[in-house]
Amino acid sequence: MKDLKEAKHQLKALLLLNNIRNEGTANWSKKHLRWLTELILPHPAQQVVLQEQLQTIEERIRRLERLSGHRATAE
């Protein structure tokens, strides 16, 4: 959970640095994640960082789901 929270914080910092704010749905909903994947940042290097951060968040979400599944079967 800590790793996921940190990744989300880093992504939010990148968006704030570029003065990008989501006026729509709650953070981290499916709609919000889709909006993030459709963003185009002004500099190509920033776009790469955005893509990497989104991938990190998705990987950490899947990892938590796997670990939660293992925990449930162990109990």
Side-chain angles (χ1 to χ4, degrees), residues 3-4 6-7 56-64:
D3 290 342
L4 177 58
E6 181 179 316
T56 298
I57 290 168
E58 290 171 4
E59 288 171 358
R60 290 179 182 175
I61 288 171
R62 286 192 303 269
R63 182 178 181 206
L64 276 173

Side-chain angles (χ1 to χ4, degrees), residues 2-33:
K2 182 180 174 186
D3 290 342
L4 177 58
K5 186 176 181 179
E6 181 179 316
K8 288 178 176 181
H9 179 75
Q10 289 176 350
L11 178 56
K12 283 183 178 184
L14 175 68
L15 297 178
L16 287 175
L17 194 67
N18 287 283
N19 201 26
I20 298 172
R21 289 177 174 71
N22 179 23
E23 302 295 331
T25 62
N27 286 343
W28 314 115
S29 67
K30 287 183 181 184
K31 188 174 181 180
H32 177 73
L33 289 171

Side-chain angles (χ1 to χ4, degrees), residues 35-66:
W35 172 77
L36 288 169
T37 62
E38 295 170 355
L39 278 177
I40 305 294
L41 295 182
H43 192 277
Q46 291 174 320
Q47 191 67 34
V48 170
V49 171
L50 173 64
Q51 303 275 332
E52 290 291 322
Q53 288 178 330
L54 285 170
Q55 184 177 3
T56 298
I57 290 168
E58 290 171 4
E59 288 171 358
R60 290 179 182 175
I61 288 171
R62 286 192 303 269
R63 182 178 181 206
L64 276 173
E65 289 170 350
R66 283 193 313 273

